[in-house]
Amino acid sequence: MTTSPRTALITGASAGIGATFARHLAASGYQLLLVARRADRLRELAEQLTGDHGVRCEVFAADLTDPAAPAAIVDFADQQGLDIDVLINNAGLSGKTAFADTPWDALAGEIQLMVTAPTELAHRVIPGMKKRQWGRIINLSSVAAFAPPGASLLYTGIKSYVLNASQSLDMELKPHGIHVTALCPGLTHTEFHDVMGTRDKADHLPAILWQQPDAVVTEALAAVMNGKPVCVPGVVNKISAAAMKPLPIRLGYFVGKTFNPFKNG
Ligand SMILES: NC(=O)c1ccc[n+]([C@@H]2O[C@H](COP(=O)([O-])OP(=O)(O)OC[C@H]3O[C@@H](n4cnc5c(N)ncnc54)[C@H](OP(=O)(O)O)[C@@H]3O)[C@@H](O)[C@H]2O)c1
């Protein structure tokens, strides 16, 4: 009897860490459903991965700041007969301007993109995973979730939510054969800092602080398959997370206010 290959849904698959997850999972024989706004990039990647690995690769262009997007993605998967076994909630960005200077629609979009959409996607695919008694979910947090809060940005708060909610979900779902991992990368060579407008500042940071997306994804996939609820990839990030976590709150506030290399103005 032949069994159909497992399927992975990856958000933010048009660039960076998400595209790297797509390459690694395709090479391991997973079928893919790739989501992002840039359909041309998704189609190009899908064609390449199908050509290289012979796996089925579907594309769904969606803006995850649209509250209707998660339901539309899962409806599309259902219509295509794809059961989602692996969910990679990866799409994200960091705002560019101070909280009070940013229009509410943009802030609401950040929360929808990195809090509500990943939470809703998980909620929509978990029933199928429970039925099949197998599932793997990776939620993109950041080493920033361990760091002191940075001035002006929602980012550390959002990534702290992802870190905490992922661990709660993992506790709830492990008995059903579903592993959930919060992935907490540090500086990773992707388009993230181009989108944020901090490329010049980022390029001046020491090379030892940076990882390639391949290293991040390799460690993340091993973590989720082995049931580790939190993955901080790379030795330098592990040391930073361990060093920052026990800071007293007032000292953390001071450090965050003083040393945030990405603060604008
Ligand atoms: N790079 C780092 O240093 C770093 C460190 C820690 C955590 N992270 C996290 O890693 C994740 C991936 O980031 P990356 O570094 O790979 O950045 P990236 O290269 O800029 O990729 C971001 C991805 O998110 C997608 N995306 C952004 N807004 C979207 C929207 N409204 N709707 C749908 N998709 C959207 C983008 O696709 P489209 O533009 O085509 O929509 C793109 O595929 C993010 O959650 C980020 O917070 C990154």
Side-chain angles (χ1 to χ4, degrees):
M1 194 180 77
T2 53
T3 52
S4 59
R6 295 194 196 277
T7 303
L9 162 56
I10 305 168
T11 69
S14 61
I17 295 171
T20 308
F21 268 112
R23 291 192 191 93
H24 282 235
L25 287 164
S28 298
Y30 284 82
Q31 303 187 131
L32 300 178
L33 172 50
L34 306 177
V35 174
R37 290 167 299 184
R38 287 170 290 180
D40 50 342
R41 284 226 196 170
L42 293 178
R43 276 194 292 270
E44 197 181 315
L45 179 61
E47 276 170 30
Q48 189 196 339
L49 295 178
T50 300
D52 289 351
H53 305 291
V55 292
R56 179 174 172 198
C57 217
E58 298 292 341
V59 159
F60 189 85
D63 183 341
L64 287 163
T65 64
D66 175 358
I73 294 165
V74 175
D75 283 352
F76 176 78
D78 289 344
Q79 285 157 19
Q80 296 293 318
L82 296 171
D83 293 329
I84 305 303
D85 303 299
V86 176
L87 170 63
I88 312 283
N89 272 319
N90 163 78
L93 46 71
S94 178
K96 297 178 191 180
T97 48
F99 177 83
D101 301 335
T102 309
W104 172 247
D105 284 355
L107 295 170
E110 280 181 47
I111 296 167
Q112 182 68 35
L113 171 66
M114 291 180 285
V115 175
T116 309
T119 310
E120 183 178 346
L121 280 172
H123 190 261
R124 287 183 179 276
V125 302
I126 284 166
M129 291 178 173
K130 274 175 105 168
K131 212 163 107 194
R132 297 185 294 281
Q133 287 288 293
W134 198 92
R136 301 289 182 263
I137 300 174
I138 293 178
N139 294 320
L140 259 290
S141 175
S142 165
V143 81
F146 298 96
S152 305
L153 300 174
L154 287 180
Y155 192 73
T156 51
I158 286 173
K159 294 302 185 183
S160 299
Y161 163 79
V162 175
L163 173 62
N164 282 295
S166 299
Q167 291 172 86
S168 299
L169 265 185
D170 186 68
M171 288 174 208
E172 178 182 330
L173 298 171
K174 269 257 167 58
H176 301 280
I178 303 167
H179 302 174
V180 183
T181 297
L183 171 58
C184 307
L187 294 166
T188 309
H189 289 291
T190 66
E191 297 173 15
F192 185 84
H193 290 287
D194 303 303
V195 176
M196 194 182 167
T198 50
R199 172 55 59 203
D200 285 349
K201 285 178 186 168
D203 282 350
H204 283 92
L205 295 172
I208 194 172
L209 297 179
W210 290 88
Q211 279 194 296
Q212 293 297 340
D214 274 321
V216 171
V217 165
T218 300
E219 208 170 323
L221 288 172
V224 79
M225 292 304 166
N226 292 319
K228 275 179 65 179
V230 178
C231 172
V232 180
V235 176
V236 171
N237 292 328
K238 283 183 183 61
I239 293 169
S240 324
M244 289 186 293
K245 209 164 164 242
L247 284 184
I249 288 176
R250 287 188 66 170
L251 180 58
Y253 181 93
F254 174 77
V255 171
K257 194 173 157 196
T258 313
F259 297 109
N260 178 4
F262 298 116
K263 69 184 164 201
N264 295 308

